[in-house]
Amino acid sequence: MNARFELLVFDWDGTLMDSTGMIARSIQRAFADVGLPVPDDREARYVIGYGLTEAMSHLAPQASEVQIRAVVDAYRQHFLAKDQELQLYQGVETGLARLQQAGYRMAVATGKSRAGLDRVLRATGLGAFFEVTRTADEAFSKPHPAMLEYILDFTAVSPTRTLMIGDTTHDLQLAINAGTASVGLSYGAHAADELQALAPLAMFDDFPALVDWILTDA
């Protein structure tokens, strides 16, 4: 394979799965349950990609540890009550199959927990596409480079041969911190102009367009 990149690392929520709206609503309901000020949509979407504790602490910096634990527990209850309704973005399964057939190695770096990621990998049947996955409870939260560095060590692929793909500034900053290239997706949690500010190689409005670019232009 003579392509520029060998390893493609995908975020999950807002990149492969259409879940950002559900996550934001679950965050808001959790804050209401605990009696803390409820973040607006933009604030709730901003922390998507962080680990749960880091996300809730960012939204409520004055809250006690007990309150943060309560918000995390309430969030899990709200999200788990609805997560079976979530769907992959259009073209994801077909696109991953095309990339695998073309010889790309693939991985996932996500703010989800290990239990949460394993659950959705089983439910969607996508697990076989990914050589390695790393979650927020196994490493420092994005944008710390540890999650991506682990994947690079596991696969023995150099940063220059690796492309990070995500829908948040946390994903793109993770790539910068780990020394890899990145691509932004405008249909997820963060606005396109926020992603563009971190100078990704390209931006796409849907998953099939991303796959076409990788296969023909990357």
Side-chain angles (χ1 to χ4, degrees):
M1 194 172 86
N2 296 319
R4 174 180 177 183
F5 300 109
E6 177 182 355
L7 177 64
L8 309 175
V9 183
F10 295 90
D11 173 53
W12 186 271
D13 290 306
T15 296
L16 301 178
M17 180 159 276
D18 187 2
S19 50
T20 56
M22 182 76 74
I23 292 171
R25 288 190 296 273
S26 296
I27 289 172
Q28 291 167 328
R29 289 166 182 163
F31 272 74
D33 288 350
V34 176
L36 291 171
V38 176
D40 62 25
D41 285 346
R42 187 178 185 279
E43 291 169 332
R45 284 175 174 266
Y46 176 79
V47 298
I48 294 174
Y50 286 165
L52 268 183
T53 299
E54 291 83 359
M56 304 314 181
S57 298
H58 178 89
L59 292 170
Q62 306 306 318
S64 67
E65 290 185 14
V66 171
Q67 288 174 309
I68 294 298
R69 286 197 298 271
V71 173
V72 167
D73 290 343
Y75 167 84
R76 287 190 174 121
Q77 292 177 14
H78 285 293
F79 186 79
L80 288 173
K82 295 287 188 178
D83 76 333
Q84 70 278 3
E85 300 175 10
L86 296 174
Q87 301 290 324
L88 297 170
Y89 285 108
Q90 184 176 1
V92 164
E93 187 170 3
T94 301
L96 293 176
R98 291 176 65 200
L99 294 170
Q100 186 179 65
Q101 185 175 18
Y104 287 96
R105 301 168 70 182
M106 293 183 284
V108 170
T110 177
K112 299 181 83 64
S113 68
R114 169 53 58 190
L117 179 62
D118 286 349
R119 185 174 60 252
V120 293
L121 287 174
R122 289 192 300 269
T124 61
L126 296 188
F129 287 116
F130 304 113
E131 187 172 334
V132 57
T133 62
R134 200 67 169 165
T135 62
D137 54 355
E138 298 170 332
F140 291 110
S141 183
K142 297 175 185 178
H144 191 284
M147 192 180 300
L148 191 46
E149 289 172 344
Y150 174 87
I151 292 171
L152 295 175
D153 287 343
F154 184 93
T155 58
V157 177
S158 71
T160 58
R161 294 276 287 155
T162 300
L163 182 66
M164 179 70 209
I165 300 162
D167 67 299
T168 72
T169 55
H170 316 311
D171 297 316
L172 304 192
Q173 188 63 54
L174 167 64
I176 292 170
N177 293 343
T180 76
S182 69
V183 162
L185 300 174
S186 64
Y187 53 74
H190 290 184
D193 60 338
E194 296 172 327
L195 299 173
Q196 289 281 19
L198 291 174
L201 286 182
M203 288 280 299
F204 299 98
D205 297 328
D206 60 72
F207 197 83
L210 163 72
V211 173
D212 289 342
W213 177 80
I214 292 172
L215 293 175
T216 59
D217 297 321

